[in-house]
Amino acid sequence: MPVVDLAATTKRDLNAQLHALSAVTNETLWRVENPAGQHALAVGLDAPITVEIAGHAGYYCAGMNAHASVIVEGNAGVGVAENMMSGTVHVKGDASQAAGATAQGGLLVVDGDASARCGISMKGVDIVVKGSIGPMSAFMGQSGNLVVLGDAGDALGDSIYEARLFVRGTVKSLGADCIEKEMRDDHRVQLRRLLDAAGLADVQPDEFKRYGSARTLYNFHVDNAADY
């Protein structure tokens, strides 16, 4: 297992080593020590590897991830897993603002809380937050699933398109065009899959409420002008 000590080498060298890996590499497990909250760790990965970051990560950790599994053994700064395409990102602590922003695929799991704008403009990613999320989460969420075991802050799902939001706790307020929706059997099956993927086999889908688009903002209508 390659071990990269960021107290002895640079972040640029770490990322260069990871970017040089091919899809058939035998070096499939990497460990990064002494990350010290540095920004842009393990960004732009494009190989089926696992990267363990032994501590806190700064901004944009695991951004643009494809195929890789990135585990942060601490907290993550702004924009963790931003624009992720596939793979898995697991934050074992808390996540700052814009976790999973614009992400198009893959799975982001946050064991703690996520701050404001979690899942903003999400485009197909699955996000599971075991704690609570801040305001304006899933703003303009286009597709994908956001699962929250705790509470959600103000303006959840503001201007949402077709992303699906599942919240077990209390929602402080819903954003423009976001409403509570029926939880059907296919949603329960989908939610069960996500809970299992996040290691939450003991949590039941019926404990959640589902939220999504009322579909009144898809096209401009003067009667809805005040909601824009």
Side-chain angles (χ1 to χ4, degrees), residues 1-56:
M1 177 180 67
V3 177
V4 179
D5 186 351
L6 290 181
T9 190
T10 67
K11 171 184 62 182
R12 184 183 295 272
D13 287 340
L14 165 67
N15 286 335
Q17 292 180 63
L18 296 175
H19 293 166
L21 297 173
S22 71
V24 293
T25 180
N26 291 322
E27 295 179 321
T28 56
L29 178 58
W30 290 66
R31 187 162 180 83
V32 179
E33 297 184 343
N34 296 306
Q38 293 192 58
H39 304 322
L41 296 175
V43 296
L45 303 186
D46 192 21
I49 62 172
T50 297
V51 179
E52 300 174 345
I53 298 175
H56 303 309

Short mmCIF file of all heavy atoms in Angstrom, two decimals, residues 1-56:
data_model
loop_
_atom_site.label_atom_id
_atom_site.label_comp_id
_atom_site.label_asym_id
_atom_site.label_seq_id
_atom_site.Cartn_x
_atom_site.Cartn_y
_atom_site.Cartn_z
N MET A 1 0.84 -1.19 0.00
CA MET A 1 0.00 0.00 0.00
C MET A 1 0.88 1.24 0.00
O MET A 1 1.63 1.47 0.95
CB MET A 1 -0.91 0.02 1.23
CG MET A 1 -1.77 1.29 1.34
SD MET A 1 -2.86 1.31 2.79
CE MET A 1 -1.66 1.42 4.13
N PRO A 2 0.82 2.07 -1.04
CA PRO A 2 1.59 3.32 -1.03
C PRO A 2 1.08 4.26 0.06
O PRO A 2 -0.12 4.46 0.22
CB PRO A 2 1.32 3.90 -2.43
CG PRO A 2 0.87 2.74 -3.25
CD PRO A 2 0.13 1.85 -2.31
N VAL A 3 2.01 4.83 0.80
CA VAL A 3 1.70 5.81 1.83
C VAL A 3 2.39 7.12 1.48
O VAL A 3 3.61 7.14 1.29
CB VAL A 3 2.14 5.34 3.23
CG1 VAL A 3 1.86 6.41 4.28
CG2 VAL A 3 1.45 4.03 3.61
N VAL A 4 1.61 8.20 1.39
CA VAL A 4 2.16 9.50 1.04
C VAL A 4 2.02 10.41 2.26
O VAL A 4 0.91 10.65 2.74
CB VAL A 4 1.44 10.12 -0.17
CG1 VAL A 4 2.02 11.50 -0.49
CG2 VAL A 4 1.54 9.20 -1.38
N ASP A 5 3.15 10.90 2.75
CA ASP A 5 3.17 11.76 3.92
C ASP A 5 3.27 13.21 3.45
O ASP A 5 4.31 13.63 2.93
CB ASP A 5 4.35 11.41 4.82
CG ASP A 5 4.35 12.18 6.13
OD1 ASP A 5 3.54 13.12 6.27
OD2 ASP A 5 5.17 11.85 7.01
N LEU A 6 2.20 13.96 3.62
CA LEU A 6 2.19 15.34 3.14
C LEU A 6 3.03 16.27 4.01
O LEU A 6 3.16 17.46 3.69
CB LEU A 6 0.77 15.86 3.02
CG LEU A 6 -0.05 15.23 1.89
CD1 LEU A 6 -1.44 15.83 1.83
CD2 LEU A 6 0.64 15.39 0.55
N ALA A 7 3.60 15.75 5.08
CA ALA A 7 4.58 16.52 5.82
C ALA A 7 5.95 16.44 5.15
O ALA A 7 6.84 17.25 5.44
CB ALA A 7 4.68 16.02 7.26
N ALA A 8 6.11 15.48 4.23
CA ALA A 8 7.39 15.29 3.57
C ALA A 8 7.33 15.48 2.06
O ALA A 8 8.38 15.60 1.41
CB ALA A 8 7.92 13.88 3.88
N THR A 9 6.15 15.47 1.50
CA THR A 9 6.00 15.68 0.06
C THR A 9 4.89 16.69 -0.18
O THR A 9 4.18 17.07 0.75
CB THR A 9 5.70 14.36 -0.67
OG1 THR A 9 5.80 14.55 -2.08
CG2 THR A 9 4.30 13.86 -0.33
N THR A 10 4.73 17.12 -1.44
CA THR A 10 3.74 18.16 -1.71
C THR A 10 2.42 17.57 -2.20
O THR A 10 2.37 16.45 -2.72
CB THR A 10 4.25 19.12 -2.79
OG1 THR A 10 4.35 18.43 -4.04
CG2 THR A 10 5.62 19.69 -2.40
N LYS A 11 1.38 18.35 -2.03
CA LYS A 11 0.07 17.97 -2.56
C LYS A 11 0.12 17.79 -4.06
O LYS A 11 -0.51 16.87 -4.62
CB LYS A 11 -0.94 19.04 -2.18
CG LYS A 11 -2.31 18.90 -2.82
CD LYS A 11 -3.19 20.07 -2.44
CE LYS A 11 -2.61 21.38 -2.94
NZ LYS A 11 -3.43 22.55 -2.53
N ARG A 12 0.87 18.64 -4.75
CA ARG A 12 1.00 18.51 -6.21
C ARG A 12 1.59 17.16 -6.58
O ARG A 12 1.13 16.51 -7.52
CB ARG A 12 1.87 19.65 -6.74
CG ARG A 12 1.99 19.65 -8.27
CD ARG A 12 2.92 20.76 -8.74
NE ARG A 12 2.37 22.07 -8.44
CZ ARG A 12 1.55 22.73 -9.26
NH1 ARG A 12 1.20 22.19 -10.42
NH2 ARG A 12 1.10 23.92 -8.92
N ASP A 13 2.59 16.71 -5.84
CA ASP A 13 3.19 15.40 -6.13
C ASP A 13 2.20 14.27 -5.86
O ASP A 13 2.14 13.29 -6.61
CB ASP A 13 4.45 15.20 -5.28
CG ASP A 13 5.62 16.05 -5.75
OD1 ASP A 13 5.60 16.49 -6.92
OD2 ASP A 13 6.54 16.28 -4.95
N LEU A 14 1.44 14.40 -4.78
CA LEU A 14 0.42 13.38 -4.48
C LEU A 14 -0.57 13.26 -5.62
O LEU A 14 -0.82 12.16 -6.13
CB LEU A 14 -0.32 13.75 -3.19
CG LEU A 14 -1.64 12.99 -2.95
CD1 LEU A 14 -1.37 11.52 -2.71
CD2 LEU A 14 -2.42 13.62 -1.80
N ASN A 15 -1.14 14.38 -6.03
CA ASN A 15 -2.14 14.33 -7.09
C ASN A 15 -1.55 13.84 -8.40
O ASN A 15 -2.21 13.12 -9.16
CB ASN A 15 -2.80 15.70 -7.25
CG ASN A 15 -3.78 16.01 -6.13
OD1 ASN A 15 -4.33 15.11 -5.50
ND2 ASN A 15 -3.98 17.29 -5.85
N ALA A 16 -0.32 14.21 -8.68
CA ALA A 16 0.34 13.75 -9.91
C ALA A 16 0.49 12.23 -9.90
O ALA A 16 0.28 11.57 -10.93
CB ALA A 16 1.69 14.43 -10.07
N GLN A 17 0.86 11.67 -8.76
CA GLN A 17 0.99 10.21 -8.66
C GLN A 17 -0.36 9.52 -8.89
O GLN A 17 -0.45 8.50 -9.58
CB GLN A 17 1.55 9.82 -7.30
CG GLN A 17 2.98 10.21 -7.06
CD GLN A 17 3.45 9.78 -5.68
OE1 GLN A 17 3.50 8.58 -5.36
NE2 GLN A 17 3.76 10.76 -4.82
N LEU A 18 -1.40 10.09 -8.30
CA LEU A 18 -2.73 9.49 -8.45
C LEU A 18 -3.25 9.63 -9.87
O LEU A 18 -3.89 8.72 -10.41
CB LEU A 18 -3.70 10.14 -7.46
CG LEU A 18 -3.38 9.92 -5.97
CD1 LEU A 18 -4.34 10.72 -5.11
CD2 LEU A 18 -3.43 8.45 -5.61
N HIS A 19 -2.97 10.75 -10.51
CA HIS A 19 -3.43 10.96 -11.89
C HIS A 19 -2.70 10.05 -12.87
O HIS A 19 -3.23 9.75 -13.94
CB HIS A 19 -3.22 12.42 -12.30
CG HIS A 19 -4.08 13.38 -11.56
ND1 HIS A 19 -3.86 14.73 -11.56
CD2 HIS A 19 -5.16 13.18 -10.76
CE1 HIS A 19 -4.77 15.33 -10.81
NE2 HIS A 19 -5.57 14.40 -10.32
N ALA A 20 -1.51 9.62 -12.53
CA ALA A 20 -0.73 8.78 -13.43
C ALA A 20 -1.18 7.32 -13.44
O ALA A 20 -0.75 6.53 -14.29
CB ALA A 20 0.75 8.85 -13.05
N LEU A 21 -2.05 6.95 -12.51
CA LEU A 21 -2.49 5.56 -12.42
C LEU A 21 -3.42 5.20 -13.57
O LEU A 21 -4.26 6.00 -13.98
CB LEU A 21 -3.21 5.32 -11.10
CG LEU A 21 -2.37 5.53 -9.83
CD1 LEU A 21 -3.26 5.42 -8.60
CD2 LEU A 21 -1.23 4.51 -9.76
N SER A 22 -3.29 3.99 -14.06
CA SER A 22 -4.19 3.51 -15.12
C SER A 22 -5.36 2.77 -14.50
O SER A 22 -5.38 2.47 -13.30
CB SER A 22 -3.43 2.58 -16.07
OG SER A 22 -3.14 1.35 -15.42
N ALA A 23 -6.32 2.43 -15.34
CA ALA A 23 -7.52 1.73 -14.87
C ALA A 23 -7.21 0.31 -14.43
O ALA A 23 -8.04 -0.32 -13.76
CB ALA A 23 -8.57 1.72 -15.97
N VAL A 24 -6.03 -0.21 -14.77
CA VAL A 24 -5.68 -1.59 -14.41
C VAL A 24 -4.50 -1.61 -13.43
O VAL A 24 -3.78 -2.58 -13.35
CB VAL A 24 -5.34 -2.41 -15.67
CG1 VAL A 24 -6.58 -2.60 -16.52
CG2 VAL A 24 -4.23 -1.75 -16.47
N THR A 25 -4.32 -0.56 -12.67
CA THR A 25 -3.22 -0.51 -11.72
C THR A 25 -3.35 -1.55 -10.62
O THR A 25 -4.47 -1.91 -10.22
CB THR A 25 -3.13 0.89 -11.09
OG1 THR A 25 -2.03 0.92 -10.17
CG2 THR A 25 -4.41 1.24 -10.35
N ASN A 26 -2.20 -2.02 -10.12
CA ASN A 26 -2.19 -2.91 -8.96
C ASN A 26 -2.11 -2.14 -7.65
O ASN A 26 -2.29 -2.72 -6.58
CB ASN A 26 -1.01 -3.88 -9.06
CG ASN A 26 -1.18 -4.88 -10.18
OD1 ASN A 26 -2.28 -5.36 -10.42
ND2 ASN A 26 -0.09 -5.21 -10.86
N GLU A 27 -1.82 -0.85 -7.75
CA GLU A 27 -1.73 -0.01 -6.55
C GLU A 27 -3.11 0.58 -6.26
O GLU A 27 -3.38 1.75 -6.52
CB GLU A 27 -0.68 1.09 -6.75
CG GLU A 27 0.73 0.55 -6.92
CD GLU A 27 1.74 1.66 -7.15
OE1 GLU A 27 1.41 2.62 -7.86
OE2 GLU A 27 2.86 1.55 -6.61
N THR A 28 -3.96 -0.25 -5.72
CA THR A 28 -5.37 0.13 -5.59
C THR A 28 -5.73 0.75 -4.24
O THR A 28 -6.83 1.26 -4.08
CB THR A 28 -6.28 -1.08 -5.83
OG1 THR A 28 -5.92 -2.12 -4.92
CG2 THR A 28 -6.12 -1.59 -7.27
N LEU A 29 -4.81 0.71 -3.27
CA LEU A 29 -5.08 1.28 -1.96
C LEU A 29 -3.96 2.25 -1.59
O LEU A 29 -2.80 1.86 -1.50
CB LEU A 29 -5.20 0.19 -0.89
CG LEU A 29 -5.43 0.67 0.54
CD1 LEU A 29 -6.70 1.51 0.65
CD2 LEU A 29 -5.50 -0.50 1.51
N TRP A 30 -4.34 3.52 -1.39
CA TRP A 30 -3.38 4.57 -1.04
C TRP A 30 -3.78 5.17 0.30
O TRP A 30 -4.97 5.26 0.62
CB TRP A 30 -3.38 5.67 -2.10
CG TRP A 30 -2.79 5.25 -3.42
CD1 TRP A 30 -3.29 4.32 -4.29
CD2 TRP A 30 -1.59 5.73 -4.00
NE1 TRP A 30 -2.48 4.20 -5.39
CE2 TRP A 30 -1.42 5.07 -5.23
CE3 TRP A 30 -0.64 6.69 -3.62
CZ2 TRP A 30 -0.35 5.31 -6.09
CZ3 TRP A 30 0.44 6.94 -4.45
CH2 TRP A 30 0.58 6.25 -5.67
N ARG A 31 -2.77 5.63 1.02
CA ARG A 31 -3.04 6.31 2.30
C ARG A 31 -2.27 7.63 2.34
O ARG A 31 -1.08 7.67 2.02
CB ARG A 31 -2.66 5.43 3.49
CG ARG A 31 -3.09 6.03 4.83
CD ARG A 31 -3.11 4.99 5.92
NE ARG A 31 -3.51 5.56 7.21
CZ ARG A 31 -4.76 5.74 7.59
NH1 ARG A 31 -5.76 5.39 6.78
NH2 ARG A 31 -5.05 6.26 8.77
N VAL A 32 -2.99 8.67 2.72
CA VAL A 32 -2.40 10.01 2.77
C VAL A 32 -2.34 10.43 4.24
O VAL A 32 -3.38 10.58 4.90
CB VAL A 32 -3.24 11.02 1.96
CG1 VAL A 32 -2.63 12.41 2.04
CG2 VAL A 32 -3.36 10.55 0.51
N GLU A 33 -1.13 10.66 4.73
CA GLU A 33 -0.95 11.04 6.12
C GLU A 33 -0.62 12.53 6.23
O GLU A 33 -0.09 13.14 5.30
CB GLU A 33 0.16 10.20 6.75
CG GLU A 33 -0.20 8.70 6.80
CD GLU A 33 0.85 7.87 7.52
OE1 GLU A 33 1.98 8.37 7.70
OE2 GLU A 33 0.53 6.73 7.90
N ASN A 34 -0.94 13.10 7.37
CA ASN A 34 -0.69 14.51 7.66
C ASN A 34 -1.29 15.45 6.61
O ASN A 34 -0.61 16.34 6.09
CB ASN A 34 0.81 14.77 7.80
CG ASN A 34 1.42 14.03 8.97
OD1 ASN A 34 0.94 14.16 10.11
ND2 ASN A 34 2.46 13.25 8.71
N PRO A 35 -2.58 15.28 6.29
CA PRO A 35 -3.19 16.18 5.30
C PRO A 35 -3.30 17.62 5.78
O PRO A 35 -3.28 18.55 4.96
CB PRO A 35 -4.58 15.57 5.06
CG PRO A 35 -4.88 14.83 6.34
CD PRO A 35 -3.55 14.29 6.80
N ALA A 36 -3.45 17.81 7.08
CA ALA A 36 -3.42 19.14 7.70
C ALA A 36 -4.40 20.13 7.06
O ALA A 36 -4.12 21.32 6.95
CB ALA A 36 -2.00 19.71 7.65
N GLY A 37 -5.53 19.62 6.58
CA GLY A 37 -6.55 20.51 6.03
C GLY A 37 -6.19 21.15 4.71
O GLY A 37 -6.78 22.18 4.34
N GLN A 38 -5.26 20.57 3.97
CA GLN A 38 -4.88 21.15 2.69
C GLN A 38 -6.03 21.04 1.68
O GLN A 38 -6.83 20.11 1.72
CB GLN A 38 -3.64 20.46 2.13
CG GLN A 38 -2.38 20.71 2.93
CD GLN A 38 -1.15 20.25 2.18
OE1 GLN A 38 -0.86 20.68 1.06
NE2 GLN A 38 -0.40 19.33 2.80
N HIS A 39 -6.07 22.00 0.77
CA HIS A 39 -7.13 22.04 -0.22
C HIS A 39 -6.82 21.13 -1.41
O HIS A 39 -5.67 20.79 -1.68
CB HIS A 39 -7.32 23.47 -0.74
CG HIS A 39 -7.61 24.47 0.34
ND1 HIS A 39 -8.41 24.19 1.42
CD2 HIS A 39 -7.20 25.76 0.49
CE1 HIS A 39 -8.50 25.25 2.20
NE2 HIS A 39 -7.76 26.22 1.65
N ALA A 40 -7.88 20.77 -2.15
CA ALA A 40 -7.76 20.05 -3.42
C ALA A 40 -6.99 18.74 -3.31
O ALA A 40 -6.20 18.38 -4.18
CB ALA A 40 -7.12 20.95 -4.48
N LEU A 41 -7.23 17.99 -2.25
CA LEU A 41 -6.61 16.67 -2.11
C LEU A 41 -7.39 15.64 -2.93
O LEU A 41 -8.61 15.64 -2.93
CB LEU A 41 -6.59 16.25 -0.64
CG LEU A 41 -5.75 17.10 0.31
CD1 LEU A 41 -5.94 16.62 1.75
CD2 LEU A 41 -4.27 17.05 -0.08
N ALA A 42 -6.67 14.77 -3.61
CA ALA A 42 -7.27 13.65 -4.36
C ALA A 42 -8.34 14.14 -5.34
O ALA A 42 -9.41 13.56 -5.46
CB ALA A 42 -7.85 12.61 -3.41
N VAL A 43 -8.04 15.20 -6.08
CA VAL A 43 -8.99 15.73 -7.06
C VAL A 43 -8.75 15.10 -8.43
O VAL A 43 -7.64 14.70 -8.77
CB VAL A 43 -8.89 17.27 -7.17
CG1 VAL A 43 -9.28 17.92 -5.87
CG2 VAL A 43 -7.48 17.70 -7.58
N GLY A 44 -9.81 15.02 -9.21
CA GLY A 44 -9.69 14.57 -10.59
C GLY A 44 -9.25 13.14 -10.76
O GLY A 44 -8.63 12.79 -11.77
N LEU A 45 -9.58 12.27 -9.82
CA LEU A 45 -9.17 10.86 -9.94
C LEU A 45 -9.99 10.16 -11.01
O LEU A 45 -11.17 10.44 -11.20
CB LEU A 45 -9.34 10.16 -8.60
CG LEU A 45 -8.58 10.76 -7.41
CD1 LEU A 45 -8.71 9.87 -6.18
CD2 LEU A 45 -7.12 10.99 -7.75
N ASP A 46 -9.34 9.22 -11.68
CA ASP A 46 -10.00 8.53 -12.79
C ASP A 46 -9.54 7.08 -12.87
O ASP A 46 -9.24 6.55 -13.94
CB ASP A 46 -9.69 9.26 -14.11
CG ASP A 46 -10.58 8.77 -15.26
OD1 ASP A 46 -11.66 8.21 -14.98
OD2 ASP A 46 -10.18 8.94 -16.42
N ALA A 47 -9.46 6.42 -11.72
CA ALA A 47 -9.06 5.01 -11.66
C ALA A 47 -9.78 4.36 -10.48
O ALA A 47 -10.10 5.04 -9.49
CB ALA A 47 -7.55 4.89 -11.49
N PRO A 48 -10.05 3.07 -10.55
CA PRO A 48 -10.78 2.38 -9.47
C PRO A 48 -9.88 2.08 -8.28
O PRO A 48 -9.55 0.93 -7.99
CB PRO A 48 -11.27 1.10 -10.16
CG PRO A 48 -10.23 0.83 -11.21
CD PRO A 48 -9.78 2.18 -11.70
N ILE A 49 -9.50 3.11 -7.56
CA ILE A 49 -8.61 2.98 -6.41
C ILE A 49 -9.32 3.49 -5.17
O ILE A 49 -10.37 4.12 -5.24
CB ILE A 49 -7.31 3.77 -6.62
CG1 ILE A 49 -7.61 5.27 -6.77
CG2 ILE A 49 -6.54 3.24 -7.83
CD1 ILE A 49 -6.38 6.15 -6.80
N THR A 50 -8.72 3.20 -4.00
CA THR A 50 -9.20 3.73 -2.74
C THR A 50 -8.12 4.62 -2.14
O THR A 50 -6.96 4.22 -2.05
CB THR A 50 -9.55 2.60 -1.75
OG1 THR A 50 -10.62 1.82 -2.29
CG2 THR A 50 -9.96 3.16 -0.40
N VAL A 51 -8.51 5.82 -1.75
CA VAL A 51 -7.58 6.76 -1.13
C VAL A 51 -8.09 7.10 0.26
O VAL A 51 -9.20 7.63 0.41
CB VAL A 51 -7.44 8.05 -1.97
CG1 VAL A 51 -6.48 9.03 -1.28
CG2 VAL A 51 -6.96 7.73 -3.38
N GLU A 52 -7.31 6.77 1.27
CA GLU A 52 -7.65 7.07 2.66
C GLU A 52 -6.88 8.32 3.10
O GLU A 52 -5.65 8.34 3.05
CB GLU A 52 -7.28 5.90 3.57
CG GLU A 52 -7.99 4.60 3.24
CD GLU A 52 -7.48 3.43 4.07
OE1 GLU A 52 -6.40 3.57 4.70
OE2 GLU A 52 -8.16 2.39 4.09
N ILE A 53 -7.62 9.34 3.49
CA ILE A 53 -6.99 10.59 3.95
C ILE A 53 -7.09 10.61 5.47
O ILE A 53 -8.17 10.70 6.04
CB ILE A 53 -7.69 11.81 3.33
CG1 ILE A 53 -7.53 11.76 1.81
CG2 ILE A 53 -7.12 13.11 3.90
CD1 ILE A 53 -8.28 12.86 1.07
N ALA A 54 -5.93 10.50 6.13
CA ALA A 54 -5.88 10.29 7.57
C ALA A 54 -5.92 11.62 8.31
O ALA A 54 -4.93 12.05 8.93
CB ALA A 54 -4.62 9.51 7.93
N GLY A 55 -7.07 12.29 8.25
CA GLY A 55 -7.22 13.56 8.93
C GLY A 55 -8.20 14.45 8.21
O GLY A 55 -9.01 13.99 7.40
N HIS A 56 -8.13 15.75 8.49
CA HIS A 56 -9.05 16.71 7.90
C HIS A 56 -8.58 17.13 6.51
O HIS A 56 -7.37 17.22 6.23
CB HIS A 56 -9.17 17.95 8.78
CG HIS A 56 -9.61 17.65 10.19
ND1 HIS A 56 -10.71 16.88 10.48
CD2 HIS A 56 -9.08 18.02 11.38
CE1 HIS A 56 -10.86 16.79 11.79
NE2 HIS A 56 -9.89 17.47 12.36
#
